[in-house]
Amino acid sequence: GAVVSQHPSRVICKSGTSVKIECRSLDFQATTMFWYRQFPKKSLMLMATSNEGSKATYEQGVEKDKFLINHASLTLSTLTVTSAHPEDSSFYICSARAVGQETQYFGPGTRLLVL
Amino acid sequence: GESVGLHLPTLSVQEGDNSIINCAYSNSASDYFIWYKQESGKGPQFIIDIRSNMDKRQGQRVTVLLNKTVKHLSLQIAATQPGDSAVYFCAENSDDRGSTLGRLYFGRGTQLTVWP
């Protein structure tokens, strides 16, 4: 139980294009999903908290117009990196938290490379 | 900033030995802690959790100890195996924004390497 998937697992795109990453909770309903970014050999950096049916809450320093988050259902949240640049290249990981629970379960991550 | 940190960034052990990974936290109001294991190129995997009303919890080959007096958390892995090699993160759940259920703050992580 508590499986979270992400798609795609890897993506390479050209500078200036937009990339959408999907995060799905496969066997539970997630009222809250989180988006993290991780640099090599570093810890996870929370980018935003996404609640189903409402606007995402972004962490300080994270541009909401750059990283668009949509959480339209209890099993799906999407992160769109708009007008991607090479500095956006990173490992993006989502997590999901079930209704009334504190534990976050993580997806396998998406490796983004912007050329 | 983050309120959770780790004492040792790397730990090397021999297969079969026990491993102990330590973590310090600074928010005395935190009431829920989780250990995650992250293998290279993958997302963090839940290992074990503990609430602040407990000081010890055991799982399969793993034990988490919580010392609230000194704000210290540890993960013990018994009979460490090569497959245990990974980065281990402690995470602290803190309701610092008054939001329901709070958010996680992650430590730096400890790289565990198990030698055959």
Side-chain angles (χ1 to χ4, degrees), chain B residues 40-116:
Chain B
S40 182
K42 298 183 179 180
Q45 175 189 355
F46 173 89
I47 301 174
I48 192 168
D49 58 1
I50 189 167
R51 297 198 175 279
S52 59
N53 60 353
M54 303 172 70
D55 52 21
K56 181 179 180 179
R57 190 158 189 234
Q58 288 184 291
Q60 188 176 15
R61 281 201 308 120
V62 294
T63 301
V64 55
L65 299 177
L66 175 63
N67 186 329
K68 293 181 287 293
T69 302
V70 296
K71 295 199 277 281
H72 184 267
L73 191 69
S74 69
L75 176 70
Q76 300 178 2
I77 305 173
T80 315
Q81 302 167 1
D84 294 328
S85 294
V87 176
Y88 289 80
F89 291 98
C90 63
E92 162 190 21
N93 191 72
S94 181
D95 185 16
D96 59 350
R97 296 184 178 185
S99 61
T100 304
L101 299 180
R103 53 158 287 185
L104 291 180
Y105 288 93
F106 283 83
R108 286 186 297 146
T110 292
Q111 173 69 59
L112 174 65
T113 302
V114 182
W115 302 98

Side-chain angles (χ1 to χ4, degrees), chain B residues 11 13-20 61 76-80:
Chain B
L11 177 64
V13 299
Q14 194 135 23
E15 181 178 2
D17 286 352
N18 296 332
S19 303
I20 299 176
R61 281 201 308 120
Q76 300 178 2
I77 305 173
T80 315

Side-chain angles (χ1 to χ4, degrees), chain B residues 21-53:
Chain B
I21 301 171
N22 296 302
C23 182
Y25 65 95
S26 57
N27 189 347
S28 57
S30 295
D31 59 0
Y32 180 59
F33 305 87
I34 310 173
W35 280 101
Y36 288 96
K37 171 187 179 183
Q38 186 178 27
E39 296 176 83
S40 182
K42 298 183 179 180
Q45 175 189 355
F46 173 89
I47 301 174
I48 192 168
D49 58 1
I50 189 167
R51 297 198 175 279
S52 59
N53 60 353

